[in-house]
Amino acid sequence: LRRRSNRIGLWLIGATGRVGSAVALGLAALRRGGVSRTGLVSDLPPFRGIGLADPGNIVLGGHEIRSETLLEAVQTAHQKAGIFDAALMRRCAPDLRALQRNVRAGTLLGVGPTIRRLSEDRRIPRDASARAAIERLSSDILAFRRRHQLDRVVVIHTASSEPPFPLKAMHKSWSRLEKALSRRAPGVLPASSIYAAAAIEAESAYINFTPSLGASVPAIEERARQRGLPYMGCDGKTGETLVKSVLAPMFAMRNLNVLSWVGQNILGNRDGEVLNDPKTRASKIKTKDRIVARIVGGSPTTRVSIDYVPSLDDWKVAWDFVHFEGFLGTKMSLQFTWAGCDSILAAPLVIDLARFAALAQQRGSVGAMPHLAFFFKDPMHSDTHDLPSQWAALVDWANKTRSDR
Ligand SMILES: NC(=O)c1ccc[n+]([C@@H]2O[C@H](COP(=O)([O-])OP(=O)(O)OC[C@H]3O[C@@H](n4cnc5c(N)ncnc54)[C@H](O)[C@@H]3O)[C@@H](O)[C@H]2O)c1
């Protein structure tokens, strides 16, 4: 008998982090039912009837480098950030224990000293080369797919941010990079790109929810196209940048001249601790800072700062000051304050991305998925940064998908 199903797996890199564990609890809660689906974009009317997998049926697995379990991670978030209902956590505890069995040891190859310090888990294998790591990581994903009889697995990178990684000549084509992968020297690829390559070898769609390099390497994009796979990134647009991408078009449409846009972010979780390292912070600032000039044009003075304030834990506060010029040279200003709970904003988007990417893969989509630009601060191969246009592109894609069914 042929199985009539659309069983998808979601493989998270950084599975037991704040975002990863919130996704795990969210999926368990959706499976058990009786919880609100607020925050899930894919649940909105324009996306009904297009063939998205039911989020309650998504099976979770992933790679991690710390020994904290999914259940411990949600309990920590509950204690420190005051999020998640205690009764819901109790109800979902058996599911989180079961999902924990799908979490495998990640790689420390290509991580910098900041991330290496996070990993107190002595059981993490030492991979001899990027090729060895890619083989081990991709076989974990393939084994997960077989064990759970999944039709497809989407890999989403939600691991700690990495410092910028300069590309060299060997990163330009897959044939050149492939030769370099066997070198025993570190520095061929950052960990995020090793994971992207592993996802591709495991025939999975790949999404980069972080500002790390991931699949943004010409050789890796070439490999994904060779293997007929879709991918997208970078860096989930969940808070301050989301608001910017709605407000900046307003200034442009009213022909108001944005002179400066200065944003100060403070956050206190592990992501904030990792971003406290100036090199790592540079990757994040790059994806957060570009958007205003790209939407309003010209060369406004823009600045983004990020400070680590441990007591805030998962609650990120962003304060933005916009200085702009109106008719006859009159200067005015706008200020806003955003106080968001980072993992609560990010988790439903990760579930959305798993559903959209699995459907795109099922429909034979290959290469970057610009219709998913809506979800990212720095969308790959897309010049569309304003939220309303990104939304229109996503809805268009959904309408085409529906009419092709
Ligand atoms: N929360 C948001 O709103 C949001 C928005 C956009 C992007 N992001 C990005 O998502 C990522 C996760 O955020 P978070 O708050 O969950 O951070 P976190 O520190 O709680 O989680 C990251 C997890 O990745 C793990 N990890 C680090 N290196 C790894 C490796 N080489 N292999 C496997 N696992 C590894 C860590 O052990 C940790 O558990 C960050 O890069 C963050 O910048 C978050």
Side-chain angles (χ1 to χ4, degrees):
L1 249 175
R2 248 197 100 194
R3 215 163 26 96
R4 195 189 138 273
S5 74
N6 185 14
R7 274 175 69 78
I8 68 165
L10 167 56
W11 188 267
L12 292 179
I13 314 301
T16 64
R18 280 298 172 84
V19 175
S21 53
V23 170
L25 181 66
L27 289 177
L30 288 167
R31 192 166 73 81
R32 286 183 176 263
V35 289
S36 149
R37 292 162 86 105
T38 305
L40 277 178
V41 173
S42 53
D43 221 43
L44 289 169
F47 311 112
R48 299 213 177 118
I50 63 169
L52 293 171
D54 180 349
N57 284 337
I58 298 177
V59 185
L60 190 93
H63 283 119
E64 187 42 80
I65 54 161
R66 293 179 306 114
S67 51
E68 187 183 28
T69 64
L70 288 167
L71 183 57
E72 287 162 355
V74 298
Q75 286 166 343
T76 306
H78 177 71
Q79 280 154 14
K80 288 195 169 176
I83 55 175
F84 307 140
D85 177 62
L88 179 74
M89 284 178 4
R90 269 196 305 278
R91 222 154 39 97
C92 295
D95 311 67
L96 295 179
R97 283 194 201 95
L99 294 176
Q100 188 64 39
R101 290 198 285 275
N102 299 335
V103 178
R104 294 286 172 276
T107 188
L108 287 170
L109 198 70
V111 303
T114 313
I115 297 176
R116 195 170 288 274
R117 260 199 309 277
L118 279 181
S119 176
E120 77 295 358
D121 193 341
R122 301 278 157 255
R123 289 162 300 177
I124 303 294
R126 298 288 178 252
D127 296 300
S129 64
R131 182 186 300 281
I134 292 169
E135 279 168 12
R136 178 173 70 80
L137 302 169
S138 64
S139 64
D140 288 340
I141 301 169
L142 286 168
F144 166 70
R145 182 170 160 191
R146 270 195 306 275
R147 203 170 48 253
H148 295 277
Q149 299 188 309
L150 303 167
D151 297 296
R152 264 164 296 283
V153 175
V154 176
V155 174
I156 304 194
H157 194 81
T158 56
S160 314
S161 304
E162 297 169 344
F165 183 93
L167 294 179
K168 302 192 185 118
M170 67 174 163
H171 298 110
K172 287 202 176 129
S173 73
W174 178 247
S175 56
R176 282 156 99 174
L177 183 61
E178 215 189 351
K179 286 190 196 104
L181 289 179
S182 304
R183 283 191 210 152
R184 286 184 168 257
V188 174
L189 284 174
S192 61
S193 302
I194 291 178
Y195 283 115
I200 292 163
E201 295 316 306
E203 288 175 54
S204 291
Y206 170 84
I207 301 286
N208 182 6
F209 201 76
T210 78
S212 306
L213 195 62
S216 303
V217 178
I220 294 183
E221 292 193 55
E222 182 191 330
R223 182 64 175 159
R225 286 192 302 272
Q226 269 176 17
R227 299 199 34 101
L229 293 165
Y231 55 85
M232 195 54 187
C234 300
D235 206 3
K237 183 158 80 170
T238 56
E240 187 211 19
T241 317
L242 175 69
V243 181
K244 277 178 169 177
S245 71
V246 176
L247 287 179
M250 174 192 75
F251 290 103
M253 285 187 271
R254 282 294 168 98
N255 200 8
L256 296 168
N257 184 18
V258 175
L259 303 166
S260 3
W261 195 310
V262 179
Q264 166 72 44
N265 294 261
I266 51 175
L267 79 159
N269 56 16
R270 196 182 309 104
D271 188 31
E273 193 180 342
V274 169
L275 295 173
N276 207 21
D277 162 51
K279 281 199 193 130
T280 312
R281 192 161 56 228
S283 308
K284 196 68 162 186
I285 287 179
K286 208 159 107 193
T287 61
K288 284 174 80 70
D289 196 30
R290 287 200 271 234
I291 189 163
V292 168
R294 284 181 178 179
I295 295 175
V296 301
S299 43
T301 303
T302 60
R303 184 151 309 142
V304 173
S305 355
I306 305 174
D307 279 315
Y308 175 49
V309 178
S311 66
L312 283 174
D313 199 68
D314 217 24
W315 292 86
K316 153 120 47 73
V317 178
W319 166 74
D320 277 46
F321 177 86
V322 187
H323 203 197
F324 65 98
E325 186 183 59
F327 197 41
L328 306 179
T330 306
K331 288 180 185 173
M332 297 167 256
S333 68
L334 161 80
Q335 295 178 45
F336 70 80
T337 311
W338 169 272
C341 182
D342 257 5
S343 54
I344 293 295
L345 290 164
L349 303 186
V350 170
I351 298 172
D352 288 328
L353 284 163
R355 299 178 82 193
F356 283 123
L359 182 59
Q361 185 182 6
Q362 184 187 346
R363 293 173 41 79
S365 170
V366 177
M369 295 181 278
H371 62 274
L372 296 183
F374 177 74
F375 293 96
F376 297 101
K377 293 190 187 81
D378 191 14
M380 291 173 81
H381 300 287
S382 166
D383 292 327
T384 313
H385 293 273
D386 68 281
L387 198 76
S389 308
Q390 293 175 329
W391 167 255
L394 184 61
V395 172
D396 265 4
W397 177 83
N399 289 340
K400 272 197 209 87
T401 305
R402 189 181 296 101
S403 61
D404 288 354
R405 283 190 94 196

